[in-house]
C-alpha cells in the first residue's frame, strides 16, 4: 500500500492520520511526483485535510515535544523523496517512547530524520552568511540563491530583523520561491517574477572583490579548506567568486 | 588615491590578525536602523587561505611610528601607505553590510603620531558609524597599546568586542622584537577593560543596561617568531583566561615579512601544524575541563607533532582508561581521544533511552578510529591492542592524515557551544 499526498507537510500528516485511523501500515508515503511502481501495489490518494493534520501535529507536540515537530518540519524541507515515509516511521516510534525520541539516535529511522534536520540547519546557517544581495537601480536589494533544501522561509526572518530598513527580495532560483520584503512585512510567492538582473550597482561589488583578494595570506593558501567550508556548488551566486 | 587601492592596502596590512569571530553579542536592531548582532556569530565567506571572513578587517591607517621587527607596517619598511577618512570607512562598512558581505567591522590601526591620537581617530569613526549611520552590527575594535584609559573606555562603549594584542608570548621576546612597546602598556588596559565589563554588569541591576563590549575582550599571540615553547604559550593563555577573563586567545603562525637577525629567515614557512596543535589545546582548556599542566610540563614542553594534545594526554594517563561508554560521566567521555563535545552529548542522551553497544555507536556515527582503544561497550573492549603506550603510540600516530588541512576550528563544528 502506498499513500499518495500532495507533498505538503499537512498532506503528510494527514496521511499519517489516515494510516492510524484505518489501521493500515502503508509501506510508503509519497508525493504526487511519478514514482516507479511494482505491479499490484495498491495506491491510496490522500486528500490534505487541515483538521486531520492538526490533530497529528498536536499529538506530536503533546506526546513528544515541540522540538520533535520542529525537527520533523525541517527534515521535511529537505524534500527528500523518502521523507514522508520516514516522518511516518518517526511518529510511530515517538508515540511509543515519547519526548526521548530526539535523542534515540541508535535507531536508524530516528537518525535519518536527525541527519536531514542537521543538514537543513547547517545550510540555513551557511546562507545567513553567504547570501549576497545586489542593489538594483530601483533601490531594491535582490539575492538569488540555489539552496539544496527549501529554506527560504527559514532564513527570511533573520534578514527581516537585520536589514529592516531596506526593501529586499530573496529568490530561490531552483524552486522559483520568493520572499519579498517591503520594510514592513514579508510575503512569500511561488511563481516566476522577472528581475532585471544587469541593472545592479557595481561600485561596492568591485570593492568587495578587491577586499576578498587582499585579505588572504599568500603563504597560507589552502583551497581545500576553503571548499570544505564553502562548497563549490554555491560559488555561482557569490560575487567574490565571479571572475569578470 | 582610488578607494579600491586604499581598501586593498589597508586590508593587506590588517590580514595578519587572525581573529575573525563575530560571536558573543546580541545587540538588537531598532526601527528604521540597520543591523544587529547574532550571538552565535556568522561567517560570510572563506578567503583563499581557508580562513573565515566575518568582519571587514581593516586598518584605519598603516602609517606607523613604531618599528616592531615582526610587523609588516614597521616605520622602516618601504610599503605603500594609506589612510581612510571616517566617512569612507563608514560608507564601505554600511554598503557591505546591506549586501550581506559582512557581519560588521573589525577596526585596527597602526600608530599614527601617538597612541592617543590614533585611538581618538578610531573613536571618531566608530561614533559616526553608530550615531550618524545608525549601525547596530558587530564592531570589534583594537585597543592601541599605550593609549589613555579614558579613550579605551570610550571605545568600549561603542564596540561589541575589544582586543589588545600581546603578540609576543614572553618578556624577552617583547624586548627583542618590539622595543618601543612594554608589557605594562598591554596588561594595564586589559585589566582595566576587565573591571569595566564587570562594572557594566553590576550597574545593570540598577538601571537600563549600558553596553560595554558585550562580547568581551580577546588577544593574539604569535607562534614561532621567538624561541618560546608551547608550554610558555599555554601557561600564558590559561593565565589570561583566568585573570582577565578573556573570551578567546588567538594564535597566529608567524609569517616572515621582514628580514632580521632576531627573526626566522624569510624563506621559513609558517608553522601551521604547531599553530593547529595549540588551537586544539586551547579548546581543551576552554571547553573540555583540562588544565595547562595536564597537557604539558617542563619535561614535555612541546606538543607531539604526530598526536593531537588529547591523544597525547591519554597515552600518558592510561590508568584512566578504558572507560565504559554506558556509565562514564560526560566529563570523562569528553576526555576520550576522538570523542568531542557533540558526540559525548549524543552518547549521554542516547544511553538514557537504551544501553549502547559498539554497533550502536557506529550506527550513531560516533567516530571510533581513535576512541575504540580507550572505551568499553557493555564491558567489552574492541581495541584489539593492549592498552599500553608502547603498543598504542604507533597505531595512533599512523592515523594522523598527512593531507589534513589545518585551520582554526570553526564555531559551526563546535555547534552547540556557540548557542
Amino acid at each position: 500500500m502506498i499513500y499518495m499526498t500532495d507533498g505538503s507537510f499537512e498532506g503528510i500528516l494527514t496521511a499519517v492520520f489516515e494510516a492510524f485511523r484505518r489501521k493500515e501500515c502503508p509501506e510508503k508515503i509519497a508525493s504526487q511526483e511519478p514514482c516507479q511502481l511494482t505491479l499490484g501495489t495498491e495506491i491510496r490518494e490522500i486528500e490534505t485535510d487541515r483538521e486531520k493534520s492538526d490533530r497529528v501535529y498536536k499529538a506530536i507536540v503533546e506526546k513528544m515535544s515541540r522540538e520533535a515537530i520542529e525537527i520533523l518540519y525541517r527534515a521535511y524541507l529537505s524534500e527528500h523523496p523518502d521523507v514522508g515515509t520516514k516522518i511516518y516511521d518517526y511518529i510511530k516510534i515517538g508515540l511509543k517512547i515519547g519526548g526521548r525520541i530526539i535523542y534515540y539516535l541508535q535507531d536508524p529511522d530516528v537518525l535519518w530524520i536527525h541527519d536531514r534536520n542537521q543538514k537543513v540547519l547547517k545550510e540555513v546557517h551557511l546562507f545567513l552568511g553567504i547570501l549576497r544581495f545586489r542593489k538594483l537601480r530601483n533601490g531594491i536589494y535582490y539575492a538569488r540563491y540555489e539552496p539544496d533544501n527549501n529554506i527560504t522561509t527559514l532564513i527570511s526572518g533573520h534578514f527581516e530583523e537585520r536589514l529592516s530598513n531596506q526593501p529586499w527580495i530573496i529568490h530561490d532560483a531552483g524552486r522559483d520561491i520568493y520572499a519579498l520584503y517591503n520594510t514592513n512585512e514579508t510575503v512569500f510567492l511561488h511563481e516566476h517574477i522577472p528581475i532585471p538582473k544587469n541593472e545592479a550597482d557595481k561600485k561596492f561589488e568591485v570593492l568587495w572583490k578587491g577586499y576578498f583578494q587582499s585579505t588572504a595570506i599568500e603563504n597560507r593558501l589552502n583551497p581545500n579548506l576553503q571548499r570544505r567550508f564553502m562548497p563549490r556548488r554555491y560559488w555561482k551566486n557569490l560575487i567574490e567568486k565571479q571572475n569578470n | 588615491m582610488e578607494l579600491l587601492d586604499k581598501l586593498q592596502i589597508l586590508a593587506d596590512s590588517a590580514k595578519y590578525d587572525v581573529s575573525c569571530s563575530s560571536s558573543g553579542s546580541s545587540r538588537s536592531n531598532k526601527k528604521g536602523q540597520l543591523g544587529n548582532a547574532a550571538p552565535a556569530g556568522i561567517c560570510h565567506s572563506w578567503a583563499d587561505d581557508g580562513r573565515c571572513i566575518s568582519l571587514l578587517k581593516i586598518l584605519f591607517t598603516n602609517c606607523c611610528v613604531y618599528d616592531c621587527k615582526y610587523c609588516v607596517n614597521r616605520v622602516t619598511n618601504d610599503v605603500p601607505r594609506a589612510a581612510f577618512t571616517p566617512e569612507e570607512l563608514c560608507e564601505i562598512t554600511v554598503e557591505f553590510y546591506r549586501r550581506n558581505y559582512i557581519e560588521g567591522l573589525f577596526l585596527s590601526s597602526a600608530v599614527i603620531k601617538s597612541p592617543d591620537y590614533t585611538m581618538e581617530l578610531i573613536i571618531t569613526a566608530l561614533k559616526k558609524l553608530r550615531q550618524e549611520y545608525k549601525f547596530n552590527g558587530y564592531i570589534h575594535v583594537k585597543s592601541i597599546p599605550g593609549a589613555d584609559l579614558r579613550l579605551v573606555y570610550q571605545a568600549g562603549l561603542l564596540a561589541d568586542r575589544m582586543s589588545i594584542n600581546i603578540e609576543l608570548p614572553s618578556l624577552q621576546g617583547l624586548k627583542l622584537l618590539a622595543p618601543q612597546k612594554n608589557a605594562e602598556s598591554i596588561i594595564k588596559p586589559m585589566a582595566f577593560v576587565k573591571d569595566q565589563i564587570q562594572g557594566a554588569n553590576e550597574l545593570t541591576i540598577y538601571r537600563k543596561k549600558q553596553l560595554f563590549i558585550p562580547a568581551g575582550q580577546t588577544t593574539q599571540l604569535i607562534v614561532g617568531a621567538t624561541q618560546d615553547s608551547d608550554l610558555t604559550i599555554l601557561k600564558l593563555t590559561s593565565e589570561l583566561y583566568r585573570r582577565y577573563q578573556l573570551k578567546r586567545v588567538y594564535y597566529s603562525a608567524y609569517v616572515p615579512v621582514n628580514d632580521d637577525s632576531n627573526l626566522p629567515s624569510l624563506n621559513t614557512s609558517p608553522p601551521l601544524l604547531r599553530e593547529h596543535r595549540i588551537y586544539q589545546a586551547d579548546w581543551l582548556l576552554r571547553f573540555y575541563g583540562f588544565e595547562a599542566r595536564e597537557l604539558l610540563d617542563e619535561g614535555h614542553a612541546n606538543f607531539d607533532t604526530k598526536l593531537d594534545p588529547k591523544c597525547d594526554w591519554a597515552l600518558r594517563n592510561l590508568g584512566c582508561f578504558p572507560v565504559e561508554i554506558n556509565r562514564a560521566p560526560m566529563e570523562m567521555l569528553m576526555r576520550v581521544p576522538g570523542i568531542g563535545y557533540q558526540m559525548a552529548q549524543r552518547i549521554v542522551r542516547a544511553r538514557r533511552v537504551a544501553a549502547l553497544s559498539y554497533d550502536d555507536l557506529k550506527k550513531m556515527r560516533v567516530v571510533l578510529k581513535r576512541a575504540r582503544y580507550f572505551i568499553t561497550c557493555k564491558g567489552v573492549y574492541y581495541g584489539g591492542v593492549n592498552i599500553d603506550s608502547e603498543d598504542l603510540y604507533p597505531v595512533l600516530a599512523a592515523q594522523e592524515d598527512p593531507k589534513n588541512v589545518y585551520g582554526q576550528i570553526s564555531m559551526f563544528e563546535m555547534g552547540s557551544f556557540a548557542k
Side-chain angles (χ1 to χ4, degrees), chain A residues 203-215:
Chain A
K203 180 180 167 194
F204 289 95
E205 295 183 359
V206 172
L207 288 173
W208 170 239
K209 277 189 195 174
Y211 174 76
F212 181 79
Q213 279 163 17
S214 298
T215 198

Side-chain angles (χ1 to χ4, degrees), chain A residues 106, chain B residues 356-365 368 377 382:
Chain A
Q106 54 270 59
Chain B
L356 296 167
S357 66
Y358 190 70
D359 250 18
D360 286 333
L361 291 182
K362 273 205 236 165
K363 272 191 226 150
M364 292 162 65
R365 281 193 230 109
L368 294 162
C377 302
Y382 292 84

